[in-house]
């Protein structure tokens, strides 16, 4: 699997969560892609430095300065400083819509800025070996009823855990009264409450909720860290979900991204093309 980053390192560290893109939209963990083009995208998105007239205006995917013209900033940053790409796109718009002057104005603005734009890419692409098996990954795209038998058994163990054990400092769950640290309420019972109250995204049974729906509800109840730690405690080492190139494909086709909870199951085999001895 591949990992694109703006940082240079020799091992993955779970304590660095949030220092990359930081979205953590599919669970708390370290993110990897089965397709190298996904890793390359993040390498460029997180490792690009764009300067204008010697002044840094963009680091990674974040603006950190300005040309003095907000509209010009947007034109330059839209393609991570690739002015030629932006000019080609604008030229196509000029050709397609010759009566609309703003495309030509934008093109001339970008042409005038070209010689002042410098781009440096410090990003790295890591090729890794993930020491996990399919029965150790929760498929976020599949309903719980359609997970493998091994995963379903592990999920059942999680759902039967008491909320007080999962998060001793948890406040009263929504809609409940007097729940304290000694409460016997289980995660399964709390999920049933979410479904009954229509708070589970339209699902009417736990089994019909997909993996993403389950983890989102778990994060609401016990927090992002609590959710990943609960799954890891029963032998689920991470999540998987279809990447943007494969969403909408039927069955098991396409490529996936992975969220790994434990940095000890990750070995770097290559960093930007250089082979590294694995641990």
């Amino acid at each position: 699997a591949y990992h694109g980053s703006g940082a240079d390192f020799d091992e993955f560290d779970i304590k660095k969560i949030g220092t990359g893109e930081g979205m953590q939209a599919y669970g708390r963990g370290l993110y990897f892609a089965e397709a190298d083009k996904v890793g390359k995208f993040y390498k460029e998105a997180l490792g690009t430095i764009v300067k204008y007239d010697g002044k840094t205006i963009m680091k990674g995917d974040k603006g950190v300065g300005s040309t003095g013209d907000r509209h010009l900033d947007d034109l330059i940053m839209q393609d991570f400083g690739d002015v030629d790409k932006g000019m080609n796109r604008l030229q196509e718009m000029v050709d397609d819509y010759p009566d609309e002057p703003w495309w030509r104005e934008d093109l001339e603005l970008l042409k005038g800025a070209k010689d002042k734009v410098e781009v440096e890419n410090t990003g790295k692409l890591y090729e890794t070996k993930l020491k996990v098996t399919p029965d150790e990954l929760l498929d976020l795209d599949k309903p719980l009823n359609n997970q493998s038998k091994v995963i379903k058994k592990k999920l059942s163990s999680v759902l039967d855990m008491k909320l007080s054990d999962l998060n001793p400092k948890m406040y009263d769950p929504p809609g409940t009264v007097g729940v304290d640290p000694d409460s016997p309420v289980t995660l399964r019972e709390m999920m049933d409450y979410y479904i009954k109250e229509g708070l589970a995204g339209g699902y009417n049974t736990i089994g019909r909720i997909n993996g993403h729906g389950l983890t989102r509800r778990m994060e609401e109840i016990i927090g992002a860290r609590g959710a990943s730690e609960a799954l890891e405690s029963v032998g689920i080492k991470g999540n998987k979900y279809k990447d943007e190139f494969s969403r909408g494909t039927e069955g098991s086709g396409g490529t996936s991204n992975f969220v790994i909870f434990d940095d000890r199951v990750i070995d770097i085999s290559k960093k930007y093309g250089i082979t590294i001895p694995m641990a």
Side-chain angles (χ1 to χ4, degrees):
Y2 300 88
H3 179 92
S5 175
D8 186 352
F9 51 85
D10 293 322
E11 63 180 6
F12 285 89
D13 185 347
I14 205 77
K15 294 190 292 294
K16 298 295 184 180
I17 285 177
T19 59
E21 185 192 36
M23 294 293 288
Q24 298 287 300
Y26 294 90
R28 183 183 183 275
L30 298 165
Y31 281 64
F32 299 87
E34 189 175 5
D36 62 346
K37 58 185 175 181
V38 176
K40 289 176 181 176
F41 169 81
Y42 284 103
K43 168 184 175 291
E44 294 179 4
L46 300 174
T48 298
I49 298 174
V50 180
K51 295 182 178 181
Y52 178 82
D53 203 17
K55 178 183 177 182
T56 300
I57 63 171
M58 184 179 186
K59 283 186 176 181
D61 58 352
K62 297 178 176 63
V64 296
S66 175
T67 63
D69 182 332
R70 293 294 298 275
H71 186 55
L72 179 58
D73 294 345
D74 292 340
L75 291 174
I76 293 173
M77 295 180 189
Q78 185 173 353
D79 297 295
F80 297 103
D82 189 339
V83 176
D84 288 329
K85 182 178 179 180
M87 288 167 51
N88 289 336
R89 185 183 63 257
L90 289 170
Q91 184 63 60
E92 290 178 3
M93 299 305 291
V94 169
D95 295 340
D96 291 341
Y97 304 98
D99 296 330
E100 297 178 357
W102 48 83
W103 299 119
R104 191 176 302 277
E105 292 169 3
D106 283 355
L107 178 58
E108 294 304 317
L109 183 62
L110 203 51
K111 282 182 178 179
K114 179 178 178 180
D115 292 340
K116 295 184 178 182
V117 176
E118 302 174 59
V119 179
E120 178 184 358
N121 196 303
T122 62
K124 304 292 185 291
L125 180 66
Y126 297 84
E127 183 179 324
T128 67
K129 302 293 184 183
L130 305 180
K131 295 179 286 185
V132 297
T133 68
D135 284 337
E136 293 172 323
L137 296 173
L138 172 63
D139 192 326
L140 300 186
D141 298 313
K142 287 184 178 180
L144 303 191
N145 283 341
N146 291 351
Q147 304 283 335
S148 71
K149 290 182 178 180
V150 176
I151 287 291
K152 282 193 282 189
K153 185 175 180 180
K154 292 175 179 178
L155 287 176
S156 184
S157 297
V158 173
L159 289 168
D160 288 334
M161 292 179 179
K162 292 196 301 182
L163 294 182
S164 55
D165 292 336
L166 291 168
N167 187 356
K169 297 180 181 179
M170 190 190 71
Y171 55 82
D172 291 359
T176 61
V177 178
V179 176
D180 56 39
D182 297 321
S183 170
V185 174
T186 66
L187 179 59
R188 187 187 303 275
E189 290 169 329
M190 193 64 215
M191 290 297 299
D192 283 336
Y193 166 79
Y194 269 59
I195 292 168
K196 180 181 177 182
E197 296 299 316
L199 303 174
Y203 299 104
N204 55 19
T205 66
I206 289 181
R208 289 187 62 193
I209 295 176
N210 63 17
H212 190 51
L214 173 68
T215 55
R216 288 291 296 274
R217 300 290 87 77
M218 287 178 65
E219 289 177 1
E220 291 172 6
I221 297 169
I222 59 175
R225 181 167 186 166
S228 63
E229 289 180 347
L231 293 171
E232 188 178 5
S233 72
V234 297
I236 295 176
K237 296 183 178 180
N239 302 326
K240 64 176 290 188
Y241 60 96
K242 288 187 177 181
D243 60 37
E244 63 177 310
F245 303 107
S246 304
R247 288 170 199 162
T249 57
E250 296 296 327
S252 58
T255 48
S256 297
N257 293 336
F258 308 99
V259 185
I260 303 301
F261 302 147
D262 185 352
D263 52 22
R264 293 172 297 179
V265 302
I266 305 163
D267 279 335
I268 300 174
S269 55
K270 290 183 180 179
K271 178 169 63 173
Y272 48 92
I274 300 174
T275 301
I276 296 177
M278 289 186 288

